[in-house]
Amino acid sequence: MSSHIRTSGTFKNRAAAGRELAARIEALVERPCVIAAIPRGGVAVALPIAERLAVPLTVSYARKLTDPRAPEVAFGALDEDGDAMIDHATVAALGLGAADVDSARVRVAAEIERRVRLYRVPVLARLVQGAAVVLVDDGLATGLTMQAAIAYARRHGAREVTVAVPCASARAARVIGHADRVVSLVVDEAFEAVGHYYADFTPVTDDDVVAMLARAAEHVPNHGGDACRAPMRPPSSG
């Protein structure tokens, strides 16, 4: 289900990766288009795409669920509706109980609410009804967060969902195959970590996100009046 143009290599930084992605997807979607980035790093990738396509940029707030004892291992993801996608095999492998899962959901829901208040852009649900959406992140390791983002967009009436990322593990590319289109510039069977594909993987701060969203709004201020009308087609393969 994945369309990609590289098999290896690194990107200078997230902005450079976004510019390369923008060139790749420009021919795949018709304007007007709504782009939704998963913060924080996904916003830095999405900004050059929104600028090149001259389309609105908003945020998809889906966020991975982890346990404090194993913070690098995602066992699920939560979206801004509070709906969770849980990897039960990972929950079992981590030895987590129902209380652990519930505790993680409460923590992540609070962080999502904080970001919604801070970023102050229209939530995707207000923009996507009957339209298509391009979901962007700086890379996919497990794909759980992106799966939650796709489900959220579908639930709120997206006509078509395209996933656009600079890099992805082969496993993640497969599990998000239920998107209408998946574009990953690198798909790696030996994927280890998103940061390995960037020469500069400096953390993106909340202040950075706010500034980038403001910059995007200067190019396309009318968030509420735009929708994406990408041509209906089956996902490309190979």
Side-chain angles (χ1 to χ4, degrees):
M1 293 294 184
S2 177
S3 172
H4 60 278
I5 60 175
R6 289 181 176 205
T7 56
S8 62
T10 60
F11 305 96
K12 179 181 179 181
N13 52 35
R14 292 180 182 86
R19 288 191 290 271
E20 192 171 336
L21 258 183
R24 179 69 179 92
I25 70 172
E26 188 172 21
L28 299 179
V29 294
E30 295 179 358
R31 297 168 182 80
C33 184
V34 174
I35 297 176
I38 296 176
R40 299 181 180 99
V43 181
V45 177
L47 177 59
I49 301 173
E51 290 181 330
R52 175 159 178 162
L53 275 61
V55 299
L57 173 61
T58 191
V59 173
S60 174
Y61 291 93
R63 184 170 171 81
K64 68 182 181 180
L65 294 168
T66 62
D67 184 77
R69 294 162 292 186
E72 298 304 316
V73 181
F75 65 79
L78 191 74
D79 67 26
E80 47 265 63
D81 284 341
D83 281 29
M85 184 163 294
I86 304 295
D87 181 343
H88 295 285
T90 301
V91 169
L94 292 172
L96 303 180
D100 299 312
V101 174
D102 288 343
S103 178
R105 290 181 64 157
V106 169
R107 288 195 306 272
V108 170
E111 174 61 14
I112 289 173
E113 290 176 6
R114 185 192 71 83
R115 291 182 175 191
V116 169
R117 292 193 301 269
L118 179 62
Y119 297 161
R120 299 178 64 84
V121 290
V123 294
L124 183 58
R126 290 176 50 190
L127 307 177
V128 76
Q129 179 66 41
V133 60
V134 179
L135 294 169
V136 180
D137 204 353
D138 56 7
L140 301 178
T142 66
L144 286 168
T145 302
M146 188 60 76
Q147 287 184 71
I150 294 168
Y152 177 89
R154 296 281 196 208
R155 189 184 317 125
H156 288 280
R159 180 173 55 81
E160 182 178 80
V161 177
T162 294
V163 171
V165 293
C167 58
S169 69
R171 176 180 179 274
R174 288 191 292 269
V175 300
I176 61 170
H178 59 285
D180 295 285
R181 185 184 297 108
V182 180
V183 179
S184 181
L185 302 178
V186 174
V187 176
D188 193 347
E189 290 282 356
F191 193 97
E192 294 184 23
V194 172
H196 290 182
Y197 299 88
Y198 292 86
D200 178 2
F201 198 60
T202 303
V204 177
T205 68
D206 281 332
D207 287 344
D208 294 332
V209 170
V210 170
M212 287 185 283
L213 292 172
R215 175 173 159 180
E218 292 176 1
H219 290 264
V220 187
N222 183 16
H223 285 267
D226 289 283
C228 185
R229 297 180 59 81
M232 294 297 289
R233 66 185 75 170
S236 52
S237 61

